[in-house]
């Protein structure tokens, strides 16, 4: 059920993708933003089960009666997504990047099911010649109406090295802590790592 609830709120997941350190700014401040909209019809607007009660393995298969907003519904929908990224050159070899994003979706036939998500993070980057090291911390929350489904705190440490003018390699580690308040305040954590290579002229990258 936890994974289904998370999938139902996939509006802002792309915003949590690892942040590549921004290019050096010629000025003291750089700002970028975006806005996107969506509309359509979904036979299962909340990506939910058609059952009124479920057994949760994390709670020793305790049976939970679901509120109506978490039972399968169909509806037309309209949504909006927005974000803002700002980068500051704190010193010749230091950059600070702040970012925020938010998503929301209105469902015409099921207005009570109103999912929205938002996140905020700060990224500090140190440049060491052809290499760079970055540390990011942030927070993300997923809601449905008045139900807080997930409160996520995350942190990453990553490094990048420019092998040639065309190729760069990178590696990083990340950790996150999740709190599911509606699900009897269940808590979980996850840790991971990644390595990758990027070809700058083409913009192609391979990440593992």
């Amino acid at each position: 059920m936890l994974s289904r609830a998370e999938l139902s709120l996939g509006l802002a997941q792309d915003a949590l993708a690892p942040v590549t350190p921004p290019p050096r700014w010629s000025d003291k401040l750089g700002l970028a933003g975006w806005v996107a909209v969506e509309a359509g019809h979904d036979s299962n607007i909340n990506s939910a089960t058609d059952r009124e009660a479920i057994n949760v393995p994390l709670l020793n298969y305790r049976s939970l009666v679901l509120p109506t907003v978490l039972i399968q519904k169909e509806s037309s929908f309209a949504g909006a997504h927005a974000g803002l990224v700002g980068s500051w050159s704190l010193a010749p070899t230091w950059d600070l990047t702040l970012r925020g994003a938010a998503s929301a979706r209105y469902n015409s036939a099921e207005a009570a099911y109103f999912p929205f998500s938002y996140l905020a993070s700060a990224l500090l980057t140190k440049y060491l010649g052809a290499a760079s090291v970055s540390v990011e911390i942030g927070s993300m929350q997923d809601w449905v109406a008045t139900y807080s489904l997930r409160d996520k705190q995350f942190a990453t440490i990553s490094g990048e090295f420019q092998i040639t003018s065309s190729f760069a390699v990178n590696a990083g580690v990340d950790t996150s802590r999740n709190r599911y308040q509606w699900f009897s305040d269940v808590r979980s954590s996850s840790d991971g790592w990644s390595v990758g290579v990027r070809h700058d002229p083409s913009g192609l990258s391979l990440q593992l």
Side-chain angles (χ1 to χ4, degrees):
M1 176 59 193
L2 294 183
S3 61
R4 183 179 296 278
E6 291 182 38
L7 287 172
S8 72
L9 292 171
L11 300 176
Q13 299 306 310
D14 289 344
L16 285 180
V19 175
T20 300
R24 300 295 293 152
W25 295 95
S26 57
D27 299 320
K28 289 291 184 181
L29 171 65
L31 290 174
W34 71 92
V35 176
V37 295
E38 62 177 347
H41 184 87
D42 196 327
S43 61
N44 188 358
I45 192 67
N46 50 350
S47 298
T49 178
D50 58 0
R51 300 176 59 185
E52 296 183 356
I54 60 170
N55 296 321
V56 182
L58 289 176
L59 302 178
N60 293 322
Y61 293 93
R62 172 186 169 188
S63 180
L64 292 179
V65 177
L66 298 177
T68 57
V69 295
L70 296 181
I71 299 175
Q72 179 178 326
K73 299 288 191 307
E74 67 173 304
S75 175
S76 298
F77 63 85
H81 315 260
L84 182 66
V85 178
S87 182
W88 289 262
S89 292
L90 303 179
T93 59
W94 289 92
D95 274 0
L96 174 64
T97 299
L98 303 178
R99 63 179 178 136
S103 299
R105 176 182 286 175
Y106 173 77
N107 306 301
S108 61
E110 189 57 35
Y113 182 79
F114 183 74
F116 60 95
S117 304
Y118 60 87
L119 71 89
S121 73
L123 173 73
L124 184 65
T125 302
K126 169 67 173 178
Y127 294 91
L128 305 165
S132 64
V133 178
S134 300
V135 177
E136 181 184 23
I137 58 173
S139 175
M140 177 181 179
Q141 292 201 358
D142 294 326
W143 291 71
V144 170
T146 60
Y147 298 95
S148 173
L149 293 190
R150 181 175 66 166
D151 181 1
K152 178 178 181 177
Q153 315 298 320
F154 62 92
T156 64
I157 301 176
S158 60
E160 182 173 283
F161 183 75
Q162 196 78 32
I163 303 175
T164 69
S165 59
S166 299
F167 287 93
V169 294
N170 59 74
V173 294
D174 63 85
T175 184
S176 66
R177 301 294 181 266
N178 302 286
R179 180 183 180 188
Y180 302 90
Q181 296 179 1
W182 189 81
F183 297 95
S184 299
D185 205 24
V186 171
R187 300 175 187 238
S188 68
S189 62
S190 63
D191 304 288
W193 59 270
S194 64
V195 294
V197 61
R198 188 182 72 247
H199 182 244
D200 290 327
S202 65
L204 296 176
S205 64
L206 175 64
Q207 203 78 20
L208 300 176

